């Protein structure tokens, strides 16, 4: 497949169009963004919509409105309710639907940008469900099972939104005629199959509104990858209707495929998902719309390095408590690797991660016995409670620290009093027998016969848990001889966590390497989050993020992006490649890791919505031109060219040989001191003038 078959070359950064909707208002151009996860936190699409809200509002201003279902539990904290101003066609359309008995909540989303928000109470239109289903059958021949509650809700939401947009268009035309404005040009952007019902209704009712449909992952793709199939190498061989029917999702698949083919512009979030959609949904995407993040740059280059050091010390505290009695390794020579996400053992690559760690363990024992790797697996699953041994370790460490602090204060007071009398105190005068007894009692309390636990919680049905089963199979039991230590944390990280006491973002900053060898990952926010924080990561050529980095970076590894091949080579070779990558990283000294983190952080501009949001804009423009042939993008002339290709770093050798590491270039100073990063020679090595 041609990797660029659906890529629109970026002609400008989105920030070139930040006018708070001034041009859109003059053109009478409106944009509606529809998703099930607008102000409704369910999964990853919530992150996409929420993080993009700021740049969307900066571009469209009051001409942008987001729509979704009203879920009271989320809306209470996500939405500030208020009415639209009088004379606004939005208010007229809302009031018309309210007169039909629908409950509609309007206001602003409490996120960066504060976009306008319309949330539809699905229960208020449930009495028309049979009528809606009848229309779907008559016009589309799609039957919805009565017991599929999620699809029923999607049908109700879709019809409510379609009716609203139809009424809005009528009021906008009247408003434009009364105020001598150009005719309204409306584009509605639908995310995923739940919102796609509204698109189908608009098109079958022949409402003149431009439509964009974005799929973030195909329904059938998720189900097929859950089985042990060679998914990507057999995409053209699947009997899609039969496969969807066997999994009892044929009606959902029809809705997704219908929205895909009826939309004026179809987009996916990555090249690999585009390839998947081409075979499963039978349409090539018109544009690839990669997911971005709101990147907050630091004024000083070393600031994110300082945050890494602070967060790492907090992880050190956890490690001291978890491994008490077996702290036979040096924390200054310890590396923290982690994997996190939904508990999809195969799809997220936890299977090859654990297998590769076993091989890394053997390599470290042979080559670098003084280096230790602590591997964290953050997968939320059902648990009974915290592991008592893990909690006890933190209590014992706290007792030791408190005791030493008390002894330290007493020693300081004795030293001061003795010096005040005019002579130097001896060891026996400073550390008294009572102090030694207290310290010894704490040290004896730290002794234990058992090995440190591999999990922080008591996992429900732990014998059948896939992560624990893989750890047992690989014999990674945190023994004194293991150079790879395992910590399975089956819970999302929060600052109120009694073991870690840090949130997920701070935890990521404190780690050295994120490992995400996913088999099915339409985009991949976890490695993207690592990148914007300056943390190197491992991804694959089957994730959208990995494909995006391969396309836009000449040498991803030199920027701290390690890409494992899970598509063109066998599973055994992928495991060997991953273990080799982790071993290469383990060989780096502290100075080289600092250089690599600086390079990784430089990629954050590439993942900023100010850069990637331009693709969403281009999708809307193409949709408008499909419905309104006379439409000319007035603001296009103001765009400046931007280059999204990152070349090899200046400090990278132009032709690496077997005697030199590919990334990063070995330090010529022989210093591992973290404070030396600001030296003139170091700045030159980083390519910073």
């Amino acid at each position: 497949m041609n990797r660029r078959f659906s890529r629109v070359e970026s002609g400008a950064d989105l920030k070139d169009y930040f006018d708070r909707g001034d041009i859109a208002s003059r053109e009478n151009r409106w944009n509606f963004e529809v998703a099930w996860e607008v102000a409704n936190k369910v999964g990853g699409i919530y992150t996409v919509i929420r993080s993009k809200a700021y740049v969307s509002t900066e571009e469209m201003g009051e001409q942008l409105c987001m729509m979704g279902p009203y879920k009271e539990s989320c809306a209470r904290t996500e939405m500030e309710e208020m009415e639209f101003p009088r004379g606004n066609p939005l208010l007229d359309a809302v009031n018309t639907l309210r007169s039909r008995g629908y409950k509609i909540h309007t206001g602003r989303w409490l996120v960066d940008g504060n976009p306008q928000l319309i949330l539809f109470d699905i229960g208020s239109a449930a009495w028309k469900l049979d009528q809606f289903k009848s229309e779907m059958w008559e016009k589309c021949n799609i039957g919805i099972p009565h017991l599929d509650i999620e699809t029923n809700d999607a049908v109700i939401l879709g019809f409510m939104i379609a009716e609203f947009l139809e009424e809005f268009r009528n009021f906008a035309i009247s408003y434009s005629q009364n105020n001598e404005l150009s005719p309204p040009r409306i584009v509605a952007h639908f995310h995923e199959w739940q919102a796609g019902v509204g698109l189908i209704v608009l098109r079958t009712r022949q409402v003149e509104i431009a439509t964009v449909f974005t799929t973030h992952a195909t329904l059938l793709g998720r189900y097929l990858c859950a089985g042990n199939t060679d998914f990507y190498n057999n995409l053209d061989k699947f009997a899609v209707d039969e496969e969807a029917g066997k999994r009892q999702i044929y009606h959902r698949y029809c809705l997704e495929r219908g929205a895909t083919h009826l939309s004026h512009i179809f987009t996916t979030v990555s090249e690999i998902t585009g390839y998947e959609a081409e075979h499963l949904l039978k349409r090539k995407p018109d544009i690839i719309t990669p997911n971005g993040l709101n990147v907050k740059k630091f004024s000083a280059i070393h600031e994110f390095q300082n945050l890494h050091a602070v967060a790492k010390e907090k992880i050190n505290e956890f490690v001291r408590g978890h491994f008490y009695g077996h702290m036979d390794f040096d924390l200054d020579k310890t590396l923290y690797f982690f994997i996190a996400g939904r508990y999809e053992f195969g799809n997220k690559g936890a299977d090859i991660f654990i297998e590769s760690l076993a091989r890394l363990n053997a390599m470290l024992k042979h080559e670098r016995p003084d280096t230790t790797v602590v591997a964290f697996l953050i997968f939320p699953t059902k648990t009974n409670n915290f592991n008592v041994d893990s909690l006890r370790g933190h209590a014992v460490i706290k007792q030791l620290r408190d005791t030493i602090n008390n002894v330290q204060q007493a020693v300081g007071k004795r030293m001061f009093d003795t010096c005040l009398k005019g002579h130097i105190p001896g060891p026996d005068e400073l550390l008294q027998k009572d102090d030694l007894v207290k310290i010894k009692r704490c040290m004896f309390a730290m002794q234990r016969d058992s090995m440190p636990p591999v999990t922080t919680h008591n996992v429900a049905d732990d014998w059948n848990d896939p992560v624990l089963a893989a750890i047992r199979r690989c014999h990674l039991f945190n023994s004194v001889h293991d150079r790879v230590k395992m910590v399975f944390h089956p819970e999302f990280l929060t600052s109120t966590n009694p073991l870690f006491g840090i949130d997920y973002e701070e935890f990521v900053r404190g780690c050295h390497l994120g490992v995400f060898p996913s088999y099915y990952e339409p985009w991949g926010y976890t490695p993207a989050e690592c990148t914007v924080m300056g943390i190197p990561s491992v991804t694959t050529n089957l994730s959208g993020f990995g494909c995006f980095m391969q396309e836009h970076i000449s040498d991803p590894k030199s920027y701290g992006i390690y890409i494992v091949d899970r598509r063109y080579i066998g599973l055994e070779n992928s495991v060997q490649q991953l273990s080799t990558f982790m071993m290469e990283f383990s060989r780096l000294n502290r100075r080289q890791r600092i250089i690599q983190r600086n390079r990784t952080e430089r990629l954050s501009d590439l993942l900023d919505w100010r850069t990637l949001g331009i693709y969403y804009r281009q999708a809307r423009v193409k949709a408008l031109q499909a419905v309104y042939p006379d439409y000319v993008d007035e603001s296009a002339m103001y765009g400046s060219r931007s280059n999204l290709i990152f070349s090899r770093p200046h400090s990278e050798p132009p032709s690496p040989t077997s005697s030199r590491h590919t990334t990063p270039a070995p330090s010529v100073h022989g210093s591992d001191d973290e404070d030396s990063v600001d030296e003139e020679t170091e700045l030159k090595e980083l390519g910073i003038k």
Side-chain angles (χ1 to χ4, degrees):
M1 183 190 68
N2 180 6
R3 289 190 315 174
R4 296 174 181 270
F5 74 95
S6 55
R7 169 72 66 192
V8 174
E9 292 303 321
S10 174
D13 289 332
L14 192 63
K15 59 180 177 287
D16 296 325
Y17 303 103
F18 283 180
D19 59 6
R20 298 289 301 181
D22 182 50
I23 294 177
S25 179
R26 292 204 306 268
E27 294 178 351
N28 201 8
R29 175 162 46 87
W30 297 82
N31 179 34
F32 293 91
E33 196 141 6
V34 185
W36 187 263
E37 297 189 32
V38 167
N40 176 32
K41 188 172 185 179
V42 178
I45 299 169
Y46 172 86
T47 305
V48 178
I49 305 294
R50 178 189 172 119
S51 61
K52 190 169 69 69
Y54 173 74
V55 295
S56 298
T57 310
E58 287 297 303
E59 179 197 357
M60 296 294 297
E62 300 297 280
Q63 303 298 108
L64 168 73
C65 187
M66 295 191 172
M67 300 193 292
Y70 179 76
K71 300 290 183 180
E72 186 177 0
S73 58
C74 293
R76 277 201 303 264
T77 55
E78 298 262 352
M79 180 186 191
E80 180 185 7
E81 292 204 33
M82 60 179 68
E83 294 295 331
F84 293 115
R86 294 182 63 181
N88 189 322
L90 287 170
L91 179 63
D92 296 332
V94 166
N95 288 336
T96 300
L97 262 65
R98 283 173 175 164
S99 68
R100 298 176 186 174
Y102 298 164
K103 288 184 180 178
I104 299 178
H105 300 260
T106 62
R108 291 192 177 273
W109 196 358
L110 297 176
V111 297
D112 288 346
N114 290 115
Q116 296 179 118
L117 204 57
I118 301 177
L119 301 182
F120 297 82
D121 190 328
I122 292 171
S124 66
W127 59 280
K128 296 186 74 173
L129 177 59
D130 290 340
Q131 178 185 329
F132 296 156
K133 285 186 176 182
S134 176
E135 183 175 337
M136 288 296 294
W137 175 253
E138 290 169 3
K139 293 188 176 180
C140 307
N141 286 339
I142 299 176
I144 312 295
H146 177 69
L147 296 177
D148 190 345
I149 297 173
E150 186 179 0
T151 307
N152 288 341
D153 288 349
V155 169
I156 296 170
L157 176 67
F159 273 85
M160 292 177 79
I161 286 174
E163 288 183 27
F164 169 82
L165 289 173
E166 190 173 359
E167 291 299 330
F168 172 79
R169 180 179 175 277
N170 295 333
F171 282 113
I173 290 173
S174 301
Y175 180 82
S176 303
Q177 292 172 346
N178 295 337
N179 292 275
E180 298 181 353
L181 298 173
S182 59
R185 295 183 173 91
I186 304 166
V187 59
H189 191 151
F190 298 85
H191 295 264
E192 285 296 293
W193 69 273
Q194 294 103 319
V197 177
L199 188 153
I200 294 172
V201 177
L202 283 176
R203 297 287 280 140
T204 54
R205 291 183 177 181
Q206 299 181 349
V207 181
E208 194 180 79
I209 288 179
T211 57
V212 179
F213 181 65
T214 296
T215 181
H216 297 257
T218 67
L219 259 176
L220 189 54
R222 284 199 183 278
Y223 278 85
L224 289 171
C225 275
N228 293 320
T229 58
D230 187 4
F231 179 66
Y232 289 99
N233 292 323
N234 291 294
L235 265 177
D236 56 343
K237 300 180 181 67
F238 289 118
V240 290
D241 294 310
E242 181 184 345
E243 295 290 348
K246 284 194 295 188
R247 289 160 178 79
Q248 299 183 351
I249 57 163
Y250 186 66
H251 55 289
R252 297 186 180 193
Y253 169 73
C254 289
L255 291 173
E256 183 179 40
R257 187 165 168 177
T260 299
H261 285 269
L262 287 172
S263 61
H264 295 101
I265 297 297
F266 171 54
T267 81
T268 63
V269 297
S270 62
E271 303 280 359
I272 196 71
T273 311
Y275 178 62
E276 178 186 336
E278 180 185 355
H279 287 38
L280 300 185
L281 299 177
K282 308 303 181 185
R283 180 177 177 181
K284 287 184 178 182
D286 302 292
I287 296 177
I288 300 298
T289 50
N291 292 332
L293 288 161
N294 277 333
V295 178
K296 296 178 180 177
K297 303 290 284 186
F298 296 108
S299 55
I301 188 172
H302 61 271
E303 194 167 341
F304 79 95
Q305 298 279 11
N306 294 341
L307 290 173
H308 165 75
V310 171
K312 186 177 72 172
E313 183 52 38
K314 293 184 178 180
I315 299 176
N316 286 346
E317 280 298 295
F318 166 82
V319 170
R320 292 186 183 105
H322 190 79
F323 293 93
Y324 81 96
H326 291 273
M327 281 296 298
D328 54 340
F329 51 92
D330 185 357
L331 287 178
D332 287 335
K333 294 182 179 179
T334 298
L335 301 176
Y336 296 139
F337 295 177
F338 81 99
I339 184 173
R342 288 189 307 275
Y343 199 179
E344 297 176 8
F345 183 68
N347 282 355
K348 293 298 181 184
D351 49 353
I352 77 164
F353 179 46
I354 295 172
E355 178 64 35
S356 299
L357 286 172
R359 302 186 186 192
L360 175 67
N361 189 36
M363 288 188 279
L364 286 173
K365 286 180 184 178
H366 174 71
E367 185 179 331
R368 301 181 71 87
D370 59 335
T371 300
T372 303
V373 169
V374 178
F376 295 94
L377 296 94
I378 315 291
F379 291 122
T381 188
K382 190 175 181 180
T383 62
N384 295 324
N385 215 322
F386 287 102
N387 187 310
V388 174
D389 206 20
S390 190
L391 287 172
R392 181 176 182 273
H394 289 82
V396 168
I397 294 300
K398 183 179 184 300
Q399 183 185 14
L400 176 64
R401 177 178 287 103
D402 292 344
T403 300
I404 289 178
N405 285 339
N406 292 336
V407 170
Q408 186 179 355
Q409 289 179 1
V411 168
K413 186 175 185 302
R414 291 187 205 111
M415 182 182 290
F416 176 77
D417 291 340
T418 306
C419 291
L420 203 61
K421 295 174 183 176
H423 67 272
I424 303 296
D428 294 336
E429 293 178 273
L430 293 179
L431 200 60
Q432 296 180 350
K433 189 174 181 179
D434 187 45
D435 297 330
L436 285 172
V437 169
K438 291 178 182 177
I439 294 174
K440 286 179 180 178
R441 286 173 66 92
C442 290
M443 291 181 67
F444 291 153
M446 289 173 56
Q447 296 177 355
R448 65 177 177 187
D449 299 325
S450 62
M451 290 183 290
V454 296
T455 177
T456 58
H457 292 62
N458 297 321
V459 177
D461 194 20
D462 68 337
W463 189 250
N464 295 313
D465 184 84
V467 164
L468 294 179
I471 290 173
R472 292 187 194 104
R473 181 177 57 80
C474 295
H475 296 280
L476 294 171
F477 296 130
N478 294 339
S479 73
V480 67
H481 304 293
D482 286 330
R483 290 302 88 211
V484 173
K485 312 289 186 181
M486 305 294 291
V487 178
F488 176 32
H489 187 68
E491 193 179 75
F492 282 126
L493 289 171
T494 62
S495 55
T496 57
N497 188 306
L499 298 179
F500 284 89
I502 56 177
D503 58 21
Y504 177 73
E505 180 179 338
E506 196 172 7
F507 172 78
V508 173
R509 284 196 183 278
C511 287
H512 297 93
L513 182 71
V515 185
F516 313 102
S518 305
Y519 183 75
Y520 185 76
E521 191 71 80
W523 175 245
Y525 257 122
T526 40
E529 288 167 341
C530 286
T531 302
V532 300
M533 294 184 210
I535 303 301
S537 61
V538 177
T539 182
T540 72
N541 60 352
L542 288 182
S543 76
F545 174 82
C547 294
F548 181 80
M549 286 300 178
Q550 277 185 320
E551 181 179 348
H552 290 92
I553 305 176
S554 299
D555 183 11
K557 192 193 287 190
S558 63
Y559 282 93
I561 308 293
Y562 299 84
I563 300 175
V564 175
D565 187 354
R566 292 206 64 181
R567 185 172 182 184
Y568 301 111
I569 61 177
L571 185 62
E572 170 61 24
N573 292 330
S574 296
V575 171
Q576 290 179 4
Q577 190 178 35
L578 177 55
S579 56
T580 301
F581 283 158
M582 292 193 292
M583 189 62 203
E584 285 179 8
F585 187 86
S586 302
R587 291 191 186 107
L588 303 180
N589 59 40
R590 180 178 290 183
R591 182 188 187 84
Q592 290 171 323
R593 292 198 302 271
I594 292 171
I595 295 171
Q596 191 178 62
R597 282 198 296 272
N598 281 328
R599 290 178 185 166
T600 304
E601 199 271 342
R602 293 215 308 263
L603 298 179
S604 58
D605 287 339
L606 191 62
L607 298 170
D608 196 336
W609 272 122
R610 292 170 180 81
T611 302
L612 298 180
I614 194 68
Y615 296 117
Y616 276 87
R617 175 184 171 79
Q618 289 168 343
R620 295 195 300 269
V621 169
K622 286 171 73 76
L624 286 168
Q625 290 171 342
V627 178
Y628 312 104
D630 60 330
Y631 174 68
V632 178
D633 187 11
E634 178 185 324
S635 57
M637 64 187 74
Y638 302 117
S640 60
R641 300 300 298 176
S642 67
N643 183 11
L644 292 183
I645 302 296
F646 275 66
S647 60
R648 185 188 295 273
H650 295 294
S651 56
E652 185 70 15
S655 301
T657 65
S658 58
S659 62
R660 298 189 68 180
H661 297 298
T662 303
T663 176
S667 168
V668 296
H669 307 289
S671 168
D672 285 351
D673 184 7
E674 205 158 337
D675 296 331
S676 63
V677 71
D678 289 328
E679 292 178 359
E680 184 177 349
T681 319
E682 174 73 346
L683 295 176
K684 183 179 179 182
E685 192 170 347
L686 294 174
I688 301 168
K689 297 181 181 180

